[in-house]
Amino acid sequence: MTYTQRIERVAEALEAQHAARARFEPLTGPLALDSLDEAYAAQRVLIQRWNDGARGPIAGYKVALTSKAVQELCGVDHPCVGAIFESTVHGSPASVERADFVRLGLEFELCLRVGTSLPGGTQPYTAETVRDAIAEAVPAFELVEDRASDYSKLNAVSLVADNCWCGGIVTGAATGDWRALDLTQTPVRLEYTSGGRTESETATTGAVLDSPLNVLAWVANVLAGQGRPLEAGMWVMTGSALRTRFAEAGDRAVYTIEGLGTVTIDVS
C-alpha cells in the first residue's frame, strides 16, 4: 500500500467514525500513523472530504494542547492545530443541542479574526509581526467534540488526524479595542450554570502561551509551513484560558474578557 493510500484510508475511517457517532479511539493497527507529519496529512484529507460534504468551507483554525500538562500526556512539547468550518460558526447568544454531540466540551477563548493574509516569509512570524494582521478580537467558546475519548489513552497523532476535535465555535461581538489591552494579563471571567447552580472562575488571556498573539504567530508559522496559510477573514481560536467544561442540556455559560465584551451559550 502506498503512502497516499494509507493516508486516504485513515481519513476515510475517521469520517465514517464521525458519521456513526463512534467513540474516539487512538489510531492503531492498520490505521496507525508514524508521525505528526502523517497525522496532518490525514487531517488535510479529512478536511477535504468534509469540504466536499456537509461541513463546507473552512472558516479558520483552532489550537489544541496549549496546556503543558496535556502536552506531556500526549508526548509533545507544542500545541496542535485543526480547522474550523463555516457551517459550525455561531454568533452569540447561541443555543446548541447537546444531542448533536457525542460529548460536548466547552472551552473559553479569545478569538482573533485575520484582516490581512499571513502567507509566511523568510522569517518566522512573532507576536509583534502578526499584530497588524488582526482585524478584530472577540470572546468565544470552542465546541469540543471529543467523542467521549478516554484521555488516559490520548496521543497527539490521533488527535491531529481527527482535526483536533473541533466541533465549532461561538463568537461574541467586537465591542472593545483589543489594541489598548495587555493580552499577557487581561482578566477573563466565566459564569457557568449547571443544575441550577452558578459557579464563577477567573483567569487571564495570558494563560495560553503567555499571550494569544504568541498563539496566532505559532499557528501562522505552522500553517504556512504546511502550504495552507491563514487567509484574510479567517478566525483563529487561541486556546482556552480555563479548564474544559463538559456540558449537559440545561447548562448556560457566560464568558467575559475585560475590555472586549461577553459571549453567551445555552445548551438545550
Side-chain angles (χ1 to χ4, degrees):
M1 181 177 294
T2 68
Y3 171 85
T4 299
Q5 289 172 328
R6 287 198 306 112
I7 297 302
E8 290 278 356
R9 180 175 61 181
V10 171
E12 181 179 8
L14 289 170
E15 183 183 34
Q17 290 170 18
H18 277 268
R21 297 172 61 86
R23 183 174 186 176
F24 176 89
E25 296 289 349
L27 298 171
T28 58
L31 297 180
L33 298 173
D34 295 332
S35 66
L36 279 176
D37 285 342
E38 290 191 356
Y40 277 118
Q43 182 193 105
R44 290 192 292 274
V45 175
L46 177 63
I47 288 169
Q48 187 58 58
R49 296 178 74 95
W50 280 335
N51 283 161
D52 296 337
R55 300 199 185 191
I58 292 174
Y61 292 90
K62 54 84 48 107
V63 293
L65 309 185
T66 55
S67 159
K68 290 295 183 185
V70 180
Q71 287 176 11
E72 290 174 2
L73 174 68
C74 293
V76 294
D77 59 1
H78 53 74
C80 299
V81 64
I84 304 164
F85 293 86
E86 283 186 7
S87 60
T88 65
V89 177
H90 313 271
S92 176
S95 178
V96 300
E97 296 284 340
R98 170 63 184 84
D100 289 344
F101 298 80
V102 179
R103 181 165 62 188
L104 171 61
L106 298 179
E107 295 191 340
F108 314 98
E109 312 195 14
L110 176 66
C111 186
L112 302 172
R113 188 173 66 82
V114 176
T116 304
S117 297
L118 294 168
T122 57
Q123 297 294 323
Y125 291 113
T126 67
E128 286 307 310
T129 60
V130 297
R131 284 183 66 93
D132 289 342
I134 299 170
E136 60 183 315
V138 300
F141 301 112
E142 183 184 350
L143 311 177
V144 178
E145 172 57 291
D146 72 356
R147 293 196 281 127
S149 171
D150 179 350
Y151 282 61
S152 69
K153 298 191 289 185
L154 182 61
N155 62 72
V157 168
S158 300
L159 175 69
V160 166
D162 202 42
N163 195 40
C164 293
W165 294 347
C166 186
I169 65 173
V170 178
T171 58
T175 59
D177 180 10
W178 70 269
R179 295 179 187 279
L181 303 176
D182 179 356
L183 294 179
T184 66
Q185 56 186 1
T186 300
V188 304
R189 183 178 71 257
L190 171 65
E191 302 289 332
Y192 196 89
T193 302
S194 182
R197 178 183 175 186
T198 300
E199 298 178 350
S200 297
E201 193 173 356
T202 60
T204 71
T205 51
V208 290
L209 302 189
D210 298 324
S211 168
L213 299 183
N214 290 330
V215 178
L216 177 59
W218 180 86
V219 170
N221 289 326
V222 168
L223 292 175
Q226 295 179 358
R228 48 175 180 166
L230 283 171
E231 299 173 2
M234 285 185 168
W235 294 105
V236 175
M237 292 287 282
T238 59
S240 190
L242 299 162
R243 64 185 175 91
T244 304
R245 301 274 185 147
F246 293 101
E248 297 297 340
D251 289 5
R252 177 181 175 86
V254 180
Y255 181 59
T256 302
I257 299 178
E258 189 173 297
L260 287 183
T262 296
V263 60
T264 302
I265 189 171
D266 288 283
V267 181
S268 58

